[in-house]
Every structure is written in C-alpha cells, then in structure tokens.
Amino acid sequence: MRRIPAEKIAHAVEELCFTAAYHLPGDVRDSLAAAAERELSPLGSSILSRLLENAEIASKKRLPICQDTGFAVFFVEIGEQVRIAGGDLTGAITEGTRRGYKKGYLRKSIVDDPLFNRVNTGDNTPPIIHLKIQPGDRLTITLAPKGGGSENMSAVRMLTPAEGRQGVIDFVVNTVVGAGGNTCPPTIVGVGIGGTFEKATLLAKEALLRPVSEKNPDKQYAELEEEILKGINASGVGPQGLGGVTTALAVHILSHPCHIASLPVAVNLNCHAARHASITL
Amino acid sequence: MVKRVTTPLTDEVIQDLKAGDEILLSGTLYTARDAAHKRLCRLIEEGDPLPVDLTGQIIYFTGPSPPPPGRVIGSAGPTTSCRMDPYSPILIREAGLKGMIGKGNRSREVIEVMKEHGSVYFAAIGGAGALLSNHILESEIICYEELGPEAIRKLTVEDMPLIVAIDSSGNNLYESGPDMYKSVF
C-alpha cells in the first residue's frame, strides 16, 4: 500500500482551485486566437480579442477569468494500492475546495438546497466528485470548475437507435444553437453518446476535458465531430450570440457501449472559459 | 466608432443608442441578480419603498468574485439576463429603470416594455470578468449583504466596454447579428 496524507491532497486541491480559476489553458487560448483571425464579423472578432486580453489580465493579476468560478467538479482516479492517511478522500477534497475558494478570492456559488433553502453555503462546498478506481498506486485529481450559465443550457435526450447519426447531429446542433448567447459562446461542446441515461451525461462532461487541439482518435467519431461543429457554426450565432461564424471552438465526443433498445445522447456545454487543472500524486 | 456614454441615461442619449453600437460607459451602476430582483419585486408588489432609487438608473446583472487585497472588486462579468426576464418589466414600469447590462437575449415581454418606456439593454462580454473589473473604480454594498455575491452594489465605472444589444425601438442584435452570418449547412 502507498500512503498519501489527506493534508497533501487538500493542499494540492487548494492549488488546483487557483490554477483553474486564474489561468486559461493554452490550448483554449490558441483556439480563441485562431478564431479571432478567422471570424468574419468585425464585432465578433473584437469580442474574441477582448477575451484573449481578459485571459492575460486574469493570469497576470491572479484574478478569476470569469467571476463565476463555478461548481467545483472533480474527476478523481485512485489506484487500488493507495491508502489515505490521516483523513479520507472526500473530506480532503472538500477541505481543499473550501480553502482554495477562500484564499483565492473565488466566488462562492453553491446554495444549500436547490428548492426550499437557497442559502449560500459560504465556502463553495460541497464539491462534486466523480471517482474511478483503477489498478496502481497513483492518485490523479482533475478539477473542472463549471459555471452556471453554460451548464443551464445542457441537455440529454434518449434517442431511438433508428434516429442514428442524423438524430445525434440534429439534437446536438439544435441544443447549442438554441442556447444562443446564454452560454457565453464560443463554447466547447461535450457530447456523450451511449451507455445509460446517467452515463451519457457524465461522458458529456468528461469529454470537455480533452484538449481543444486534439482530434478524436476514432475516425468515424472525428468526422462526426467535424460535421456537428460545421452545423453549429453555420447558425450565425457567433461570439456572445451577437452574430458571427465562431459559435463553438470544438465538439468533443465520448462514446460507450449501450443497450439494444437505446441511443442516449447528452450535451454538456462549456463557455470559452474552459477551465481545468490536473495533478498526479 | 465607439460612443462614450455617461450615466444617468437621458431619453435623448437612449434614443441615440442603436443595436450594434459599441459604447464606453462611465458613471454609476447598480448590481443585482436573481435573488435581489426577487426581493425588489416583492417590495414593489407589497407597496413598500425600495432600498435604492432606480429612477433613470442602470442595473448590471452580475455577481462579482470577492476583491483581493488592493482591488475594489474581483472579476465582474455579466450573468445570463433571461433569468431576470420575469422581474425586469416590473422594475422598468414601476421603478423607472432605464438600462440593463447582461448577456444573452431577452423575452418578447421585456422588449415590449423597453419600447414602451424607452429603456435600453447592453451586452457586456460574458466571461471577460477580469477585463471588466479593470473598469470599475468603486464598489459599495448598498443592501442584502447576506446574499454574498448577490448583494446589491453601487459601482462607479469608467469607459466600461459594452455593446447595445437591444435598443429602445426594439432592434435586437441577438436576432439581426446571427441572421447576417447564417449560412447553409
């Protein structure tokens, strides 16, 4: 067994909160810069340039890229040979989130009860933790803070197998285009296809973690991503929904085996502030 | 050409603002989002006075992040405006609100009331909270401090970059903009 102190995890999580909030990943920045060059709408192009300027200011001044520093969503891969010493995994991640959001001057955006008691918890906890247990003795923690604006426009649909490829394209394109400027376009579009109802949604979120510069390793899915992206950008929605040819920067698909009766499809939208940070302990 | 606009917004200034115009705004704004709007509208319904006089004023839909040492405010970009659609007509009609700043399209009803009362809706760039923060010179909590990021703040801004998204005649850049760049798929 390999022992990892809970305090070490909490400290690492605290740092991840800062990194994710202040520093836009390089691949997203490059993609925005390329889009600013390509954009046909002068206003759209000026918006994209301002977003790049914003990322620079945020990084330099250690200010959040966006004031909505999100729900703290963690993807955790823990080796079966890891033992947490002096605490537990959930507790350590929660503590790291609490400290990170406080010390980093990040916004606390979580209310205690969704319906009856919408009182701010005051420290942005609890986090959401997606856990994978696998062989080995490493612990990898990825934080992907998720803003409310883009999350609100996400959707899931249980298609029939007969609806097939075209059904998927129509559903994804309509979801993104229908969201207009609410998601802070240009977005990154995460799509989960297959599995069950809940698996598809989780895949859609996980798909957002793939670097924008990376193609889908599967040729058929890579082509599907391209086609969906073209459909979205033909809508004219553009940067901030004010018109242009850059509505999405990328479409990322993750798929999973599914039931003979099913074709679940989920769309998770991420604003241009596609923040994430990762560490392996 | 970028227009310079100073608050409070007069009817003359508002009439001159057209959807698609890029402007630089200076002066006073009030921040409010979902929870504060709900409270303000309840006060109006019950005939009670508002904690802030909104006559001729602008509300910025934002919930800023906390100010780090040495700054008056943290990141302060716009939040999605359509969540305020049920409340904005009441504030325009009953409280004399003249301008709103947010992101995303508004409802038919909001636009009709804006036309009727000569109000304007500006888009700030969503997700540019750090950049927008640099244009905020002062920030003071006016009320509802217990709402944290949702408290009502009075902001003094200088040359804040905005886009006229829906003007007082109802011209809507969220419709005309995408129409210009739509292509066949």
Side-chain angles (χ1 to χ4, degrees), chain B:
Chain B
M1 200 194 73
V2 180
K3 291 181 189 169
R4 284 201 139 79
V5 177
T6 309
T7 67
L9 297 175
T10 61
D11 289 336
E12 208 181 357
V13 168
I14 291 178
Q15 271 168 21
D16 196 38
L17 297 172
K18 299 293 168 211
D21 287 353
E22 290 188 70
I23 67 145
L24 295 173
L25 184 72
S26 300
T28 303
L29 311 175
Y30 291 93
T31 72
R33 34 177 295 154
D34 312 49
H37 271 79
K38 193 175 172 182
R39 290 191 186 189
L40 292 175
C41 287
R42 182 170 295 167
L43 289 175
I44 290 172
E45 268 166 35
E46 289 169 0
D48 292 327
L50 297 182
V52 49
D53 182 7
L54 292 175
T55 315
Q57 299 296 338
I58 301 175
I59 288 186
Y60 181 19
F61 306 141
T62 184
S65 61
R71 291 191 76 92
V72 299
I73 200 164
S75 277
T79 195
T80 310
S81 307
C82 68
R83 295 196 318 271
M84 266 52 79
D85 284 355
Y87 307 115
S88 295
I90 302 169
L91 295 183
I92 294 170
R93 243 190 245 125
E94 311 290 332
L97 183 71
K98 276 291 177 186
M100 296 163 284
I101 305 171
K103 67 172 168 97
N105 206 353
R106 309 304 304 271
S107 70
R108 183 64 26 215
E109 193 202 346
V110 171
I111 297 171
E112 284 308 313
V113 176
M114 282 172 58
K115 277 161 68 180
E116 220 171 281
H117 293 264
S119 305
V120 61
Y121 171 55
F122 303 98
I125 299 177
L131 182 146
L132 288 161
S133 166
N134 276 355
H135 294 274
I136 300 171
L137 307 181
E138 288 169 39
S139 166
E140 178 196 349
I141 293 183
I142 298 293
C143 59
Y144 307 150
E145 190 166 4
E146 68 280 9
L147 293 178
E150 299 206 62
I152 295 186
R153 289 170 171 80
K154 183 181 178 181
L155 306 182
T156 307
V157 301
E158 188 180 65
D159 290 342
M160 183 179 182
L162 301 173
I163 300 146
V164 179
I166 305 174
D167 64 30
S168 57
S169 308
N171 298 307
N172 185 352
L173 193 60
Y174 288 104
E175 283 169 10
S176 58
D179 278 349
M180 270 181 74
Y181 293 96
K182 201 174 278 176
S183 56
V184 182
F185 169 52

Side-chain angles (χ1 to χ4, degrees), chain A residues 39-43 46-47 50-51 53-54 57-58 61-69 101 105-109 111 120 149-150 152 166 169 173 181-184 227-228 230-231 233-238 240-245 272-273, chain B residues 20 22 24 33 62-69 71 73-83 103-105 123-134 146-150 161 163 165 173-175 177-179 181-185:
Chain A
E39 178 55 58
L40 300 177
S41 152
L43 177 61
S46 137
I47 289 170
R50 283 228 168 94
L51 292 178
E53 199 188 325
N54 180 68
I57 294 170
K61 306 237 165 162
R62 288 176 69 83
L63 268 177
I65 299 160
C66 173
Q67 75 288 343
D68 185 354
T69 46
Y101 274 72
Y105 299 94
L106 310 185
R107 198 181 81 183
K108 290 79 183 172
S109 312
V111 291
N120 200 305
S150 56
N152 279 351
Q166 193 57 45
I169 295 172
V173 172
N182 293 354
T183 52
C184 286
E227 199 172 334
I228 294 172
K230 269 196 195 131
N233 286 336
S235 67
V237 168
Q240 297 290 316
L242 297 170
V245 298
H272 58 80
Chain B
E22 290 188 70
L24 295 173
R33 34 177 295 154
T62 184
S65 61
R71 291 191 76 92
I73 200 164
S75 277
T79 195
T80 310
S81 307
C82 68
R83 295 196 318 271
K103 67 172 168 97
N105 206 353
I125 299 177
L131 182 146
L132 288 161
S133 166
N134 276 355
E146 68 280 9
L147 293 178
E150 299 206 62
I163 300 146
L173 193 60
Y174 288 104
E175 283 169 10
D179 278 349
Y181 293 96
K182 201 174 278 176
S183 56
V184 182
F185 169 52

Side-chain angles (χ1 to χ4, degrees), chain A residues 3 10 26 31-32 34 73 75 83 92 109 113 115 120 134-135 137 155 166 176 191 222 228 252 280:
Chain A
R3 294 161 68 87
S31 176
L32 281 171
V73 179
F75 288 89
R83 187 166 184 276
S109 312
D113 180 275
L115 195 55
N120 200 305
Q134 52 193 30
D137 64 357
Q166 193 57 45
V176 180
V191 182
I228 294 172
H252 292 172
T280 298

